[in-house]
Amino acid sequence: MSIADLDNWANMLQKCDFASVSGQFSGAQLPLIANLLLTRGYQIGGILGKSRRPRTSYSSKQIKILEEHFVLNRYLSRPKRFEVATSLNLTETQVKIWFQNRRMKLKRSERILPHTNGSSK
């Protein structure tokens, strides 16, 4: 495998030209080639799926306010979600996902709690 081959495959992958690349390799080889290109510093576009946006980092103020709203109500209406998102400089989707994640966190902690108090039913 030459550097020219790597450059050629990287160019095809950057353009998401899967037909050209997959014509040269079996399906099982494609992740190996993608990994090889990544370790060599190549950018490979969307070969590994849709590129994801970075994880949202919430400030302590944002978390405090989101938690306050969560204590009052575990679900937000669309108008309230818009209001909260606007006031915290977040998107409605970020607020919606935060509430979904927070409900799941509560559900997990409620599932674990009965097992830790020592009572058996």
Side-chain angles (χ1 to χ4, degrees):
M1 182 177 310
S2 70
I3 298 296
D5 289 336
L6 284 176
D7 288 334
N8 186 31
W9 295 327
N11 287 333
M12 286 187 281
L13 290 170
Q14 283 175 338
K15 295 174 189 169
C16 296
D17 187 0
F18 301 114
S20 298
V21 175
S22 59
Q24 296 179 30
F25 304 103
S26 71
Q29 290 174 314
L30 202 51
L32 298 172
I33 297 299
N35 190 38
L36 176 63
L37 291 169
L38 284 172
T39 58
R40 304 256 175 153
Y42 288 92
Q43 300 295 319
I44 58 169
I47 187 66
L48 302 177
K50 284 171 71 174
S51 53
R52 297 173 57 171
R53 47 181 304 286
R55 183 181 174 122
T56 301
S57 297
Y58 297 98
S59 70
S60 55
K61 177 189 170 202
Q62 289 171 325
I63 293 171
K64 180 179 182 253
I65 292 170
L66 288 165
E67 287 287 353
E68 288 171 359
H69 284 286
F70 185 79
V71 168
L72 297 174
N73 196 354
R74 293 182 188 172
Y75 293 85
L76 290 181
S77 63
R78 281 194 81 196
K80 189 66 174 175
R81 186 171 67 218
F82 175 78
E83 176 189 322
V84 170
T86 304
S87 71
L88 296 177
N89 199 26
L90 297 169
T91 65
E92 285 187 67
T93 302
Q94 287 171 317
V95 172
K96 180 183 81 168
I97 299 299
W98 187 91
F99 268 78
Q100 286 176 348
N101 291 338
R102 186 61 181 85
R103 286 191 299 269
M104 288 307 297
K105 180 179 178 181
L106 180 64
K107 187 176 179 180
R108 280 192 309 272
S109 68
E110 288 173 346
R111 236 184 304 157
I112 293 169
L113 212 86
H115 302 305
T116 59
N117 66 11
S119 66
S120 59
K121 291 185 178 181

